[in-house]
Structures are given as C-alpha cells and as structure tokens.
Amino acid sequence: MMMRYGVARPDSPVECPSSVLWDGTQFENLSGFSTKGDLTNAFAMSCNTAFIKAITPLKDKGVHNTALGDTARKWFGIGELWSVGVQDRGTGPSPSPSGSETAASYIGQGRITMNALNMASVSATVKNGGFLQPYLVPRDLDGREFAKAERLPGEWPSGCRR
C-alpha cells in the first residue's frame, strides 16, 4: 500500500519512535522499542509506529481510509468472496476505517480479521506474483467460481521492483 501510493520504497528512511499518537489514541511498539532505518527494517522489526506514521502522507493524497482495503482487494483478493468448498468465516473483510481505527488497521488490528488461509494466500500471492484463490475442495466438484484479483505489478509506481 505504501509503495502503491508512492509513500515509501523498501529502502526509504522511516521513523520508528517508541510510540505515536493518532486521533487521540496512543500506539506503541512491543516493549516500547524504537529504531532507525528503512522501511525494510521497520517491517522486519514489526514497527507499528512506522506504519501508523504513513497515514499522514496517505491522508494528504486523500486515500488514508481506503488505501489498505483497496490494495488488499486489488492484488490479494482479500475482501472478495472466496468459494473454498466449505463454509468459512470470510476472507478478511477490509472495512473503511475512521479515526483511531485507521491507525489500528494499518498494523493489522481494529476490525481487520484474517484467518490462516488468508495469510497463506498473501504469502503465496507474493511468491507467485499473482493471486490464485485458495480452496479446500476442488472446484470441478461443483463448478463454483473463484475470486480473482490483478497480478502484482512488476514495478510499483514508486519505482521499486517486486
């Protein structure tokens, strides 16, 4: 999402303070750690505050409440109806948050729900370069339609390669 909207590249320097305030709610990193470095380091360290700080530039672009859900749906099929062959609890709906819930959603909290199949699919999409809807029962058993999403771009708008 940050690369899609040109907010950061993997090698972009980012701030990772121990805590950050967003819309009246204090968010912290685990054990209050802080670090310096680039987005790759922030991701590896699971720096909550670095990702919450991305809200401001996305807000300036007018997409801070929709960027996460739109990106998840467009390339990862998250939020689409998955027909896996058995009844499940959904595919990680990506609601349009507001207020402090926006910050919570940027770090995988708030109303975002994901299950093991969703997360396996995210990893597989990155590895494959495109979304293939996971399933538990073969499609040819009942002819159901699978969800679709666009292939990941070979190069993001900010110039970074997948």
Side-chain angles (χ1 to χ4, degrees):
M1 169 191 69
M2 292 168 72
M3 291 181 285
R4 175 184 185 192
Y5 289 100
V7 170
R9 299 166 44 106
D11 60 352
S12 295
V14 296
E15 293 180 48
C16 178
S18 60
S19 65
V20 68
L21 187 66
W22 181 261
D23 199 41
T25 301
Q26 187 83 14
F27 291 90
E28 299 177 356
N29 294 324
L30 184 64
S31 301
F33 81 86
S34 66
T35 188
K36 294 184 182 201
D38 58 21
L39 183 62
T40 299
N41 182 57
F43 182 80
M45 298 289 295
S46 191
C47 178
N48 293 336
T49 59
F51 293 97
I52 292 170
K53 289 181 90 39
I55 298 170
T56 299
L58 288 167
K59 187 174 185 178
D60 293 344
K61 293 175 182 278
V63 296
H64 67 292
N65 286 336
T66 58
L68 184 62
D70 289 348
T71 301
R73 193 171 298 103
K74 180 174 182 159
W75 287 306
F76 296 93
I78 302 296
E80 297 293 337
L81 177 62
W82 289 9
S83 298
V84 299
V86 296
Q87 190 168 12
D88 68 58
R89 296 203 47 149
T91 61
S94 300
S96 293
S98 62
S100 64
E101 197 171 289
T102 300
S105 72
Y106 275 43
I107 56 174
Q109 298 176 10
R111 292 188 300 157
I112 294 200
T113 57
M114 299 285 280
N115 60 38
L117 196 56
N118 299 142
M119 292 312 302
S121 177
V122 167
S123 297
T125 298
V126 171
K127 174 84 171 139
N128 178 51
F131 171 73
L132 296 171
Q133 186 209 289
Y135 58 88
L136 300 174
V137 176
R139 175 171 48 183
D140 60 5
L141 190 67
D142 58 9
R144 68 191 175 279
E145 290 294 316
F146 279 176
K148 294 179 177 40
E150 293 180 30
R151 286 197 59 79
L152 291 169
E155 193 159 308
W156 295 91
S158 62
C160 115
R161 294 180 180 250
R162 175 174 49 82

